[in-house]
Amino acid sequence: MRIYVCVKQVPDTAASIRVIEGKRIDERMTFIINPYDEHCLTEAAKIRDARPGSEVIAVSLGGPSARDILRSALAMGAERSLHIQSERPHDAMETARILKAAIDLDGKPDLIFTGRESIDSCGMQTMFRLGALLQIPVLSNAVDVDIQEGEAFVSTEAELGSRLQYSLSLPCIIGAGRGLNTPKYPTFPDIMKARKKEIRTLDLQDLRFEPSASSMELLELRTVAEDRTPRPIEGDPDTAVEELIRILEQEARII
Amino acid sequence: MMQQAGVFIEETDGRVKDSVLGVISYLRQKDVACCAFVISGSPGGHAEQLGAYGVHRIYAIEFQEEAQARNPQFKARAVAEAMQAAGVTILFGQTSPTGRDLLPRLAALFDAPLVMDCTEVDLEDLTVSTSAYSGKTEALYRVRGEYLFFGMRPNHHLKKPAAANPELIPFHAKHRDANGTAFIGKTDTADQGRDLNEAKVIISGGRGLKNGENFQLLFDCARELEAAVGASRVAVDEGWVPYTMQVGQTGLKVNPRLYIACGISGSVQHFAGMKTAGLIIAVNTDPKAPMVKNADYYLLGDLFEIIPKLTQKLKARAVGKKTA
Ligand SMILES: Cc1cc2nc3c(=O)[nH]c(=O)nc-3n(C[C@H](O)[C@H](O)[C@H](O)COP(=O)(O)OP(=O)(O)OC[C@H]3O[C@@H](n4cnc5c(N)ncnc54)[C@H](O)[C@@H]3O)c2cc1C
């Protein structure tokens, strides 16, 4: 089986974000692999290990930091990887086209994993667009995946924690949710081995795709002010709870 | 001419969700005529409720077989067909589990822009406000396309009645190709908690709760407040409560009027999921906790003392009101 995993570099979740020129963020910070993509890699490795002759290929679109992320992906079990070099931002329509073109150039997928969303832009749509372009089925927010002959049985998480079960014909695309597995982080030998694995570089010019007639353009990025002024609720527990109830009633107006 | 937009209707317990009515009210205030798309077992397409909020037309989508209504691919195709039949090119939905599946499928079908977690949409100059970088920044996008899709942030706009007399149009979905996707079944979870996305009040617990049984304290209090119960990632990772209760960067993004955080330190990742709450109240023993420093109110104290006391006083108050 040939399994592609789309991975994305995102700013470290604890990092503070500095906006430059009202349009970009200051990228002098630590980037991490999108947390949902770690579930993808762990699941892909598990499926591969159960099927001799299978391989996992990590794919990433981005600048130099995408290479670091691909190294992490290789350490988490991918055999090899594709780095589509680009320094400029791409909207969701274009991203899906680029990923499709890169995968087409590399080989025929049996399975493609993406995270259910990337935690920076939270577009939540790349997998569906990729599916439409490849004309293969897609499910996102998967919490259980079982690959059988020509078919994937997938459970997704829906409203109020209920679970929906589906079967998808292969090839298909699965968006990993957090309940899918516990990510298997690399050991030191994994990291050493990853250094020798291949990162194939693709240039955007080498990829062929029809541009979309639609577009999404970022006009402005603003830091959100943290403007709460904390006030204490004081007194012994009884007094404090009375005051709390007053706040619920008169300020929050929920009782 | 008056602008026209579609709204995808989500329901809970056979009623239209309040957050969806909020989106309809928002569009009405902008003088946009609303066309509702309903996929529902309930007859009548919620005409009465939708009419009370100013919806002009209702497309009640019906399937040939029940299983098709459960198939996300059929559902998306059916809404796409209904939009075309209605001449609607702009569709609003919600950033909810339903919207997260349906809207990107539709956007992919039409190769159209989609922005999720929107707070404001300007249909004149086609700009949209949304959050980026886990709520640390706000982004303004311009969208272009023959079709446009927006997933609104739940509860950002509140519902306001505006009576209309909607035309009800039954619509039979024709599309027959499931595109390799088959629905097998549904398992409901044992917990019948409230929907965190819809909740106006949320009370959440973290490591400070110490174990899963203690969450009962929050559930008891939540009953009095008509609140939903949320949790930090630690409480989920410890196995105390299910993942569906996790609030934060890698959990749910919630937008209640009131968020009470009990025994939660207030990490950046937790804030990413609740920083837009109207009012934040922290109950914590540590005056230096970030939750305390970034709340509107903080109560320094032991949650095991404070929360049961709160529940008890709320109960007494409710009884007092009834007899009064
Ligand atoms: C990539 C990534 C994604 C993450 N995503 C999320 C996410 O989505 N959601 C999330 O919540 N976290 C997330 N985290 C984890 C986050 O960094 C914190 O570890 C977590 O939020 C801490 O949980 P906590 O506040 O319950 O525990 P702690 O930080 O241990 O805080 C416990 C608090 O309880 C207080 N306390 C203890 N006893 C009492 C008592 N008796 N009465 C009152 N107060 C008491 C303490 O003073 C303390 O402030 C993520 C982390 C990473 C790296």
Side-chain angles (χ1 to χ4, degrees), chain A residues 13 15 97 120 129 159 163 165 178 214 217 219 222 228 233 251, chain B residues 98 111 133 136 138 140 142 184-185 187 246 275 296-298:
Chain A
T13 50
R97 282 169 163 77
D120 54 353
R129 295 190 189 275
E159 316 267 344
R163 289 187 170 199
Q165 287 97 33
R178 203 164 82 73
S214 310
E217 178 198 354
L219 298 180
R222 262 197 310 267
R228 296 184 200 258
I233 302 175
E251 288 188 43
Chain B
T98 301
D111 192 28
Y133 302 107
K136 290 171 199 157
E138 201 175 72
L140 185 71
R142 168 159 295 131
I184 298 173
T187 341
Q246 182 181 317
K275 69 194 314 174
D296 295 292
Y297 284 102
Y298 59 92

PDB file of all heavy atoms in Angstrom, chain A residues 13 15 97 120 129 159 163 165 178 214 217 219 222 228 233 251, chain B residues 98 111 133 136 138 140 142 184-185 187 246 275 296-298:
ATOM      1  N   THR A  13       2.538  26.207  19.692  1.00  0.00           N
ATOM      2  CA  THR A  13       1.280  26.687  20.278  1.00  0.00           C
ATOM      3  C   THR A  13       1.497  27.677  21.414  1.00  0.00           C
ATOM      4  O   THR A  13       0.652  28.518  21.678  1.00  0.00           O
ATOM      5  CB  THR A  13       0.454  25.510  20.815  1.00  0.00           C
ATOM      6  OG1 THR A  13       1.302  24.709  21.630  1.00  0.00           O
ATOM      7  CG2 THR A  13      -0.093  24.691  19.685  1.00  0.00           C
ATOM      8  N   ALA A  15       3.944  29.864  21.577  1.00  0.00           N
ATOM      9  CA  ALA A  15       4.653  31.062  21.121  1.00  0.00           C
ATOM     10  C   ALA A  15       3.705  32.249  21.021  1.00  0.00           C
ATOM     11  O   ALA A  15       2.535  32.100  20.701  1.00  0.00           O
ATOM     12  CB  ALA A  15       5.271  30.792  19.750  1.00  0.00           C
ATOM     13  N   ARG A  97      -4.660  21.910  -4.975  1.00  0.00           N
ATOM     14  CA  ARG A  97      -4.169  21.633  -6.335  1.00  0.00           C
ATOM     15  C   ARG A  97      -2.688  21.264  -6.319  1.00  0.00           C
ATOM     16  O   ARG A  97      -2.240  20.364  -7.039  1.00  0.00           O
ATOM     17  CB  ARG A  97      -4.382  22.861  -7.223  1.00  0.00           C
ATOM     18  CG  ARG A  97      -5.821  22.999  -7.675  1.00  0.00           C
ATOM     19  CD  ARG A  97      -6.032  24.359  -8.317  1.00  0.00           C
ATOM     20  NE  ARG A  97      -7.247  24.379  -9.102  1.00  0.00           N
ATOM     21  CZ  ARG A  97      -8.466  24.480  -8.592  1.00  0.00           C
ATOM     22  NH1 ARG A  97      -8.639  24.537  -7.289  1.00  0.00           N
ATOM     23  NH2 ARG A  97      -9.532  24.501  -9.381  1.00  0.00           N
ATOM     24  N   ASP A 120      -3.108  26.527  12.941  1.00  0.00           N
ATOM     25  CA  ASP A 120      -2.843  27.955  12.725  1.00  0.00           C
ATOM     26  C   ASP A 120      -3.985  28.645  11.986  1.00  0.00           C
ATOM     27  O   ASP A 120      -4.563  29.611  12.456  1.00  0.00           O
ATOM     28  CB  ASP A 120      -1.500  28.185  12.032  1.00  0.00           C
ATOM     29  CG  ASP A 120      -1.354  27.410  10.741  1.00  0.00           C
ATOM     30  OD1 ASP A 120      -2.228  26.578  10.434  1.00  0.00           O
ATOM     31  OD2 ASP A 120      -0.354  27.628  10.036  1.00  0.00           O
ATOM     32  N   ARG A 129     -11.133  19.243  -0.489  1.00  0.00           N
ATOM     33  CA  ARG A 129     -10.782  19.771  -1.823  1.00  0.00           C
ATOM     34  C   ARG A 129      -9.896  18.775  -2.569  1.00  0.00           C
ATOM     35  O   ARG A 129     -10.062  18.547  -3.765  1.00  0.00           O
ATOM     36  CB  ARG A 129     -10.079  21.117  -1.684  1.00  0.00           C
ATOM     37  CG  ARG A 129     -10.995  22.187  -1.110  1.00  0.00           C
ATOM     38  CD  ARG A 129     -10.340  23.539  -1.214  1.00  0.00           C
ATOM     39  NE  ARG A 129     -11.063  24.561  -0.490  1.00  0.00           N
ATOM     40  CZ  ARG A 129     -12.101  25.245  -0.978  1.00  0.00           C
ATOM     41  NH1 ARG A 129     -12.524  25.011  -2.206  1.00  0.00           N
ATOM     42  NH2 ARG A 129     -12.701  26.163  -0.238  1.00  0.00           N
ATOM     43  N   GLU A 159     -21.726  15.156  16.675  1.00  0.00           N
ATOM     44  CA  GLU A 159     -22.275  15.960  17.766  1.00  0.00           C
ATOM     45  C   GLU A 159     -22.321  15.156  19.063  1.00  0.00           C
ATOM     46  O   GLU A 159     -22.650  13.986  19.070  1.00  0.00           O
ATOM     47  CB  GLU A 159     -23.715  16.398  17.427  1.00  0.00           C
ATOM     48  CG  GLU A 159     -23.924  16.893  16.011  1.00  0.00           C
ATOM     49  CD  GLU A 159     -23.785  18.401  15.873  1.00  0.00           C
ATOM     50  OE1 GLU A 159     -23.824  19.092  16.889  1.00  0.00           O
ATOM     51  OE2 GLU A 159     -23.621  18.860  14.731  1.00  0.00           O
ATOM     52  N   ARG A 163     -20.781   8.595  17.605  1.00  0.00           N
ATOM     53  CA  ARG A 163     -19.857   8.156  16.557  1.00  0.00           C
ATOM     54  C   ARG A 163     -20.618   7.644  15.352  1.00  0.00           C
ATOM     55  O   ARG A 163     -21.615   6.953  15.493  1.00  0.00           O
ATOM     56  CB  ARG A 163     -18.957   7.045  17.095  1.00  0.00           C
ATOM     57  CG  ARG A 163     -17.989   7.618  18.077  1.00  0.00           C
ATOM     58  CD  ARG A 163     -16.977   6.625  18.526  1.00  0.00           C
ATOM     59  NE  ARG A 163     -15.970   7.352  19.282  1.00  0.00           N
ATOM     60  CZ  ARG A 163     -14.761   6.903  19.532  1.00  0.00           C
ATOM     61  NH1 ARG A 163     -14.398   5.722  19.082  1.00  0.00           N
ATOM     62  NH2 ARG A 163     -13.912   7.624  20.222  1.00  0.00           N
ATOM     63  N   GLN A 165     -20.291   5.501  11.758  1.00  0.00           N
ATOM     64  CA  GLN A 165     -19.433   4.537  11.070  1.00  0.00           C
ATOM     65  C   GLN A 165     -19.721   4.532   9.573  1.00  0.00           C
ATOM     66  O   GLN A 165     -20.884   4.560   9.171  1.00  0.00           O
ATOM     67  CB  GLN A 165     -19.654   3.123  11.634  1.00  0.00           C
ATOM     68  CG  GLN A 165     -19.070   2.892  13.016  1.00  0.00           C
ATOM     69  CD  GLN A 165     -20.106   3.070  14.116  1.00  0.00           C
ATOM     70  OE1 GLN A 165     -21.266   2.767  13.925  1.00  0.00           O
ATOM     71  NE2 GLN A 165     -19.686   3.586  15.264  1.00  0.00           N
ATOM     72  N   ARG A 178      -8.415  13.760  17.072  1.00  0.00           N
ATOM     73  CA  ARG A 178      -7.478  13.481  18.157  1.00  0.00           C
ATOM     74  C   ARG A 178      -7.710  12.126  18.824  1.00  0.00           C
ATOM     75  O   ARG A 178      -6.798  11.554  19.415  1.00  0.00           O
ATOM     76  CB  ARG A 178      -7.495  14.586  19.207  1.00  0.00           C
ATOM     77  CG  ARG A 178      -6.195  14.610  19.979  1.00  0.00           C
ATOM     78  CD  ARG A 178      -5.989  15.871  20.735  1.00  0.00           C
ATOM     79  NE  ARG A 178      -6.680  15.908  21.992  1.00  0.00           N
ATOM     80  CZ  ARG A 178      -6.314  15.212  23.057  1.00  0.00           C
ATOM     81  NH1 ARG A 178      -5.278  14.398  23.001  1.00  0.00           N
ATOM     82  NH2 ARG A 178      -6.986  15.301  24.177  1.00  0.00           N
ATOM     83  N   SER A 214     -11.788  30.756  -8.259  1.00  0.00           N
ATOM     84  CA  SER A 214     -12.086  31.369  -6.963  1.00  0.00           C
ATOM     85  C   SER A 214     -10.795  31.709  -6.242  1.00  0.00           C
ATOM     86  O   SER A 214      -9.746  31.150  -6.543  1.00  0.00           O
ATOM     87  CB  SER A 214     -12.872  30.400  -6.082  1.00  0.00           C
ATOM     88  OG  SER A 214     -13.957  29.874  -6.770  1.00  0.00           O
ATOM     89  N   GLU A 217      -8.092  35.847  -0.283  1.00  0.00           N
ATOM     90  CA  GLU A 217      -6.881  36.651  -0.134  1.00  0.00           C
ATOM     91  C   GLU A 217      -6.855  37.272   1.258  1.00  0.00           C
ATOM     92  O   GLU A 217      -7.848  37.877   1.697  1.00  0.00           O
ATOM     93  CB  GLU A 217      -6.911  37.748  -1.208  1.00  0.00           C
ATOM     94  CG  GLU A 217      -5.755  38.696  -1.182  1.00  0.00           C
ATOM     95  CD  GLU A 217      -6.054  39.984  -1.956  1.00  0.00           C
ATOM     96  OE1 GLU A 217      -7.127  40.072  -2.595  1.00  0.00           O
ATOM     97  OE2 GLU A 217      -5.221  40.889  -1.895  1.00  0.00           O
ATOM     98  N   LEU A 219      -6.232  40.048   3.685  1.00  0.00           N
ATOM     99  CA  LEU A 219      -6.058  41.493   3.569  1.00  0.00           C
ATOM    100  C   LEU A 219      -5.345  42.060   4.780  1.00  0.00           C
ATOM    101  O   LEU A 219      -4.566  42.989   4.683  1.00  0.00           O
ATOM    102  CB  LEU A 219      -7.418  42.189   3.446  1.00  0.00           C
ATOM    103  CG  LEU A 219      -8.293  41.859   2.245  1.00  0.00           C
ATOM    104  CD1 LEU A 219      -9.589  42.646   2.311  1.00  0.00           C
ATOM    105  CD2 LEU A 219      -7.552  42.145   0.944  1.00  0.00           C
ATOM    106  N   ARG A 222      -4.419  41.060  12.517  1.00  0.00           N
ATOM    107  CA  ARG A 222      -4.349  41.932  13.698  1.00  0.00           C
ATOM    108  C   ARG A 222      -4.161  41.096  14.944  1.00  0.00           C
ATOM    109  O   ARG A 222      -4.795  40.053  15.083  1.00  0.00           O
ATOM    110  CB  ARG A 222      -5.698  42.633  13.890  1.00  0.00           C
ATOM    111  CG  ARG A 222      -5.811  44.023  13.369  1.00  0.00           C
ATOM    112  CD  ARG A 222      -7.014  44.718  13.985  1.00  0.00           C
ATOM    113  NE  ARG A 222      -8.241  43.922  13.906  1.00  0.00           N
ATOM    114  CZ  ARG A 222      -9.126  44.023  12.928  1.00  0.00           C
ATOM    115  NH1 ARG A 222      -8.936  44.857  11.955  1.00  0.00           N
ATOM    116  NH2 ARG A 222     -10.218  43.279  12.925  1.00  0.00           N
ATOM    117  N   ARG A 228      -8.952  41.946  29.325  1.00  0.00           N
ATOM    118  CA  ARG A 228      -9.776  41.735  30.524  1.00  0.00           C
ATOM    119  C   ARG A 228      -9.051  42.294  31.749  1.00  0.00           C
ATOM    120  O   ARG A 228      -7.835  42.152  31.866  1.00  0.00           O
ATOM    121  CB  ARG A 228     -10.062  40.258  30.718  1.00  0.00           C
ATOM    122  CG  ARG A 228     -10.894  39.681  29.582  1.00  0.00           C
ATOM    123  CD  ARG A 228     -11.267  38.243  29.814  1.00  0.00           C
ATOM    124  NE  ARG A 228     -11.614  37.622  28.544  1.00  0.00           N
ATOM    125  CZ  ARG A 228     -12.868  37.400  28.133  1.00  0.00           C
ATOM    126  NH1 ARG A 228     -13.878  37.726  28.902  1.00  0.00           N
ATOM    127  NH2 ARG A 228     -13.092  36.847  26.962  1.00  0.00           N
ATOM    128  N   ILE A 233     -13.233  38.219  43.623  1.00  0.00           N
ATOM    129  CA  ILE A 233     -14.471  37.977  44.359  1.00  0.00           C
ATOM    130  C   ILE A 233     -13.994  37.601  45.759  1.00  0.00           C
ATOM    131  O   ILE A 233     -13.377  36.552  45.951  1.00  0.00           O
ATOM    132  CB  ILE A 233     -15.284  36.823  43.732  1.00  0.00           C
ATOM    133  CG1 ILE A 233     -15.610  37.146  42.266  1.00  0.00           C
ATOM    134  CG2 ILE A 233     -16.546  36.558  44.537  1.00  0.00           C
ATOM    135  CD1 ILE A 233     -16.305  36.027  41.519  1.00  0.00           C
ATOM    136  N   GLU A 251     -24.625  40.547  36.150  1.00  0.00           N
ATOM    137  CA  GLU A 251     -23.682  40.859  35.063  1.00  0.00           C
ATOM    138  C   GLU A 251     -23.752  39.857  33.920  1.00  0.00           C
ATOM    139  O   GLU A 251     -23.859  40.225  32.769  1.00  0.00           O
ATOM    140  CB  GLU A 251     -22.263  40.976  35.626  1.00  0.00           C
ATOM    141  CG  GLU A 251     -22.152  42.250  36.432  1.00  0.00           C
ATOM    142  CD  GLU A 251     -20.738  42.542  36.861  1.00  0.00           C
ATOM    143  OE1 GLU A 251     -19.816  42.382  36.034  1.00  0.00           O
ATOM    144  OE2 GLU A 251     -20.571  42.918  38.032  1.00  0.00           O
TER     145      GLU A 251
ATOM    146  N   THR B  98     -21.416  19.410  12.385  1.00  0.00           N
ATOM    147  CA  THR B  98     -22.158  19.285  11.130  1.00  0.00           C
ATOM    148  C   THR B  98     -21.569  20.196  10.054  1.00  0.00           C
ATOM    149  O   THR B  98     -21.312  19.769   8.929  1.00  0.00           O
ATOM    150  CB  THR B  98     -23.646  19.650  11.359  1.00  0.00           C
ATOM    151  OG1 THR B  98     -24.168  18.762  12.346  1.00  0.00           O
ATOM    152  CG2 THR B  98     -24.454  19.541  10.089  1.00  0.00           C
ATOM    153  N   ASP B 111     -15.764  24.274  -6.017  1.00  0.00           N
ATOM    154  CA  ASP B 111     -14.437  24.900  -6.078  1.00  0.00           C
ATOM    155  C   ASP B 111     -14.546  26.372  -5.648  1.00  0.00           C
ATOM    156  O   ASP B 111     -14.050  27.280  -6.307  1.00  0.00           O
ATOM    157  CB  ASP B 111     -13.841  24.783  -7.489  1.00  0.00           C
ATOM    158  CG  ASP B 111     -12.355  25.158  -7.504  1.00  0.00           C
ATOM    159  OD1 ASP B 111     -11.694  24.991  -6.467  1.00  0.00           O
ATOM    160  OD2 ASP B 111     -11.868  25.625  -8.549  1.00  0.00           O
ATOM    161  N   TYR B 133      -4.228  31.661  14.099  1.00  0.00           N
ATOM    162  CA  TYR B 133      -3.215  31.397  15.127  1.00  0.00           C
ATOM    163  C   TYR B 133      -3.859  31.256  16.502  1.00  0.00           C
ATOM    164  O   TYR B 133      -3.570  32.016  17.426  1.00  0.00           O
ATOM    165  CB  TYR B 133      -2.110  32.454  15.098  1.00  0.00           C
ATOM    166  CG  TYR B 133      -1.438  32.508  13.753  1.00  0.00           C
ATOM    167  CD1 TYR B 133      -1.668  33.559  12.878  1.00  0.00           C
ATOM    168  CD2 TYR B 133      -0.612  31.461  13.345  1.00  0.00           C
ATOM    169  CE1 TYR B 133      -1.091  33.568  11.620  1.00  0.00           C
ATOM    170  CE2 TYR B 133      -0.033  31.471  12.092  1.00  0.00           C
ATOM    171  CZ  TYR B 133      -0.276  32.525  11.235  1.00  0.00           C
ATOM    172  OH  TYR B 133       0.289  32.530   9.993  1.00  0.00           O
ATOM    173  N   LYS B 136      -5.064  34.124  18.641  1.00  0.00           N
ATOM    174  CA  LYS B 136      -4.137  35.188  19.015  1.00  0.00           C
ATOM    175  C   LYS B 136      -4.229  36.353  18.036  1.00  0.00           C
ATOM    176  O   LYS B 136      -3.860  37.470  18.356  1.00  0.00           O
ATOM    177  CB  LYS B 136      -2.700  34.671  19.046  1.00  0.00           C
ATOM    178  CG  LYS B 136      -2.438  33.714  20.206  1.00  0.00           C
ATOM    179  CD  LYS B 136      -1.076  33.075  20.063  1.00  0.00           C
ATOM    180  CE  LYS B 136      -0.970  31.819  20.894  1.00  0.00           C
ATOM    181  NZ  LYS B 136       0.060  30.909  20.396  1.00  0.00           N
ATOM    182  N   GLU B 138      -6.628  38.129  14.576  1.00  0.00           N
ATOM    183  CA  GLU B 138      -7.862  38.155  13.816  1.00  0.00           C
ATOM    184  C   GLU B 138      -7.469  38.427  12.372  1.00  0.00           C
ATOM    185  O   GLU B 138      -6.615  39.278  12.124  1.00  0.00           O
ATOM    186  CB  GLU B 138      -8.708  39.296  14.347  1.00  0.00           C
ATOM    187  CG  GLU B 138     -10.162  39.172  14.053  1.00  0.00           C
ATOM    188  CD  GLU B 138     -10.924  40.289  14.736  1.00  0.00           C
ATOM    189  OE1 GLU B 138     -10.803  41.440  14.276  1.00  0.00           O
ATOM    190  OE2 GLU B 138     -11.582  40.003  15.737  1.00  0.00           O
ATOM    191  N   LEU B 140      -8.572  39.244   8.272  1.00  0.00           N
ATOM    192  CA  LEU B 140      -9.598  39.738   7.362  1.00  0.00           C
ATOM    193  C   LEU B 140      -9.265  39.207   5.966  1.00  0.00           C
ATOM    194  O   LEU B 140      -8.161  39.417   5.467  1.00  0.00           O
ATOM    195  CB  LEU B 140      -9.599  41.266   7.363  1.00  0.00           C
ATOM    196  CG  LEU B 140     -10.707  41.930   6.546  1.00  0.00           C
ATOM    197  CD1 LEU B 140     -12.058  41.736   7.236  1.00  0.00           C
ATOM    198  CD2 LEU B 140     -10.427  43.415   6.361  1.00  0.00           C
ATOM    199  N   ARG B 142     -10.491  38.594   1.771  1.00  0.00           N
ATOM    200  CA  ARG B 142     -11.426  38.908   0.688  1.00  0.00           C
ATOM    201  C   ARG B 142     -11.637  37.622  -0.103  1.00  0.00           C
ATOM    202  O   ARG B 142     -10.673  36.938  -0.448  1.00  0.00           O
ATOM    203  CB  ARG B 142     -10.896  40.006  -0.230  1.00  0.00           C
ATOM    204  CG  ARG B 142     -11.737  40.098  -1.507  1.00  0.00           C
ATOM    205  CD  ARG B 142     -11.635  41.421  -2.224  1.00  0.00           C
ATOM    206  NE  ARG B 142     -12.186  42.499  -1.436  1.00  0.00           N
ATOM    207  CZ  ARG B 142     -11.541  43.652  -1.221  1.00  0.00           C
ATOM    208  NH1 ARG B 142     -10.366  43.860  -1.734  1.00  0.00           N
ATOM    209  NH2 ARG B 142     -12.106  44.598  -0.501  1.00  0.00           N
ATOM    210  N   ILE B 184     -22.762   3.282   7.667  1.00  0.00           N
ATOM    211  CA  ILE B 184     -23.007   1.973   8.277  1.00  0.00           C
ATOM    212  C   ILE B 184     -23.868   2.091   9.538  1.00  0.00           C
ATOM    213  O   ILE B 184     -24.845   1.378   9.703  1.00  0.00           O
ATOM    214  CB  ILE B 184     -21.675   1.257   8.620  1.00  0.00           C
ATOM    215  CG1 ILE B 184     -20.866   1.004   7.346  1.00  0.00           C
ATOM    216  CG2 ILE B 184     -21.958  -0.060   9.328  1.00  0.00           C
ATOM    217  CD1 ILE B 184     -19.479   0.460   7.606  1.00  0.00           C
ATOM    218  N   GLY B 185     -23.521   2.981  10.414  1.00  0.00           N
ATOM    219  CA  GLY B 185     -24.305   3.070  11.645  1.00  0.00           C
ATOM    220  C   GLY B 185     -23.859   4.196  12.536  1.00  0.00           C
ATOM    221  O   GLY B 185     -22.904   4.915  12.233  1.00  0.00           O
ATOM    222  N   THR B 187     -23.328   5.243  16.804  1.00  0.00           N
ATOM    223  CA  THR B 187     -23.329   4.854  18.216  1.00  0.00           C
ATOM    224  C   THR B 187     -23.414   6.134  19.039  1.00  0.00           C
ATOM    225  O   THR B 187     -22.602   7.036  18.870  1.00  0.00           O
ATOM    226  CB  THR B 187     -21.999   4.172  18.618  1.00  0.00           C
ATOM    227  OG1 THR B 187     -21.334   3.720  17.443  1.00  0.00           O
ATOM    228  CG2 THR B 187     -22.222   3.021  19.548  1.00  0.00           C
ATOM    229  N   GLN B 246     -13.291  18.285  25.743  1.00  0.00           N
ATOM    230  CA  GLN B 246     -12.068  19.112  25.796  1.00  0.00           C
ATOM    231  C   GLN B 246     -12.235  20.458  25.099  1.00  0.00           C
ATOM    232  O   GLN B 246     -12.608  20.541  23.928  1.00  0.00           O
ATOM    233  CB  GLN B 246     -10.889  18.374  25.166  1.00  0.00           C
ATOM    234  CG  GLN B 246      -9.596  19.194  25.259  1.00  0.00           C
ATOM    235  CD  GLN B 246      -8.428  18.490  24.609  1.00  0.00           C
ATOM    236  OE1 GLN B 246      -8.256  17.299  24.793  1.00  0.00           O
ATOM    237  NE2 GLN B 246      -7.635  19.224  23.851  1.00  0.00           N
ATOM    238  N   LYS B 275     -11.282  31.912  24.672  1.00  0.00           N
ATOM    239  CA  LYS B 275     -10.964  33.312  24.953  1.00  0.00           C
ATOM    240  C   LYS B 275     -12.028  34.296  24.477  1.00  0.00           C
ATOM    241  O   LYS B 275     -12.044  35.435  24.907  1.00  0.00           O
ATOM    242  CB  LYS B 275      -9.588  33.671  24.399  1.00  0.00           C
ATOM    243  CG  LYS B 275      -9.517  33.695  22.902  1.00  0.00           C
ATOM    244  CD  LYS B 275      -8.098  33.719  22.396  1.00  0.00           C
ATOM    245  CE  LYS B 275      -7.203  34.707  23.097  1.00  0.00           C
ATOM    246  NZ  LYS B 275      -5.804  34.559  22.629  1.00  0.00           N
ATOM    247  N   ASP B 296     -12.286  37.764  33.962  1.00  0.00           N
ATOM    248  CA  ASP B 296     -12.969  38.997  34.351  1.00  0.00           C
ATOM    249  C   ASP B 296     -13.124  39.035  35.866  1.00  0.00           C
ATOM    250  O   ASP B 296     -13.022  40.080  36.481  1.00  0.00           O
ATOM    251  CB  ASP B 296     -14.345  39.062  33.678  1.00  0.00           C
ATOM    252  CG  ASP B 296     -14.221  39.162  32.180  1.00  0.00           C
ATOM    253  OD1 ASP B 296     -13.751  40.201  31.712  1.00  0.00           O
ATOM    254  OD2 ASP B 296     -14.568  38.181  31.477  1.00  0.00           O
ATOM    255  N   TYR B 297     -13.392  37.861  36.435  1.00  0.00           N
ATOM    256  CA  TYR B 297     -13.482  37.732  37.896  1.00  0.00           C
ATOM    257  C   TYR B 297     -12.718  36.493  38.317  1.00  0.00           C
ATOM    258  O   TYR B 297     -12.688  35.496  37.581  1.00  0.00           O
ATOM    259  CB  TYR B 297     -14.940  37.552  38.326  1.00  0.00           C
ATOM    260  CG  TYR B 297     -15.742  38.822  38.276  1.00  0.00           C
ATOM    261  CD1 TYR B 297     -16.616  39.056  37.217  1.00  0.00           C
ATOM    262  CD2 TYR B 297     -15.637  39.768  39.287  1.00  0.00           C
ATOM    263  CE1 TYR B 297     -17.356  40.228  37.165  1.00  0.00           C
ATOM    264  CE2 TYR B 297     -16.381  40.939  39.243  1.00  0.00           C
ATOM    265  CZ  TYR B 297     -17.234  41.164  38.182  1.00  0.00           C
ATOM    266  OH  TYR B 297     -17.962  42.319  38.132  1.00  0.00           O
ATOM    267  N   TYR B 298     -12.113  36.555  39.499  1.00  0.00           N
ATOM    268  CA  TYR B 298     -11.500  35.346  40.037  1.00  0.00           C
ATOM    269  C   TYR B 298     -11.870  35.177  41.486  1.00  0.00           C
ATOM    270  O   TYR B 298     -12.036  36.151  42.223  1.00  0.00           O
ATOM    271  CB  TYR B 298      -9.977  35.369  39.863  1.00  0.00           C
ATOM    272  CG  TYR B 298      -9.291  36.539  40.529  1.00  0.00           C
ATOM    273  CD1 TYR B 298      -8.809  36.439  41.833  1.00  0.00           C
ATOM    274  CD2 TYR B 298      -9.122  37.746  39.848  1.00  0.00           C
ATOM    275  CE1 TYR B 298      -8.179  37.514  42.441  1.00  0.00           C
ATOM    276  CE2 TYR B 298      -8.503  38.829  40.456  1.00  0.00           C
ATOM    277  CZ  TYR B 298      -8.031  38.712  41.746  1.00  0.00           C
ATOM    278  OH  TYR B 298      -7.428  39.784  42.348  1.00  0.00           O
TER     279      TYR B 298
END
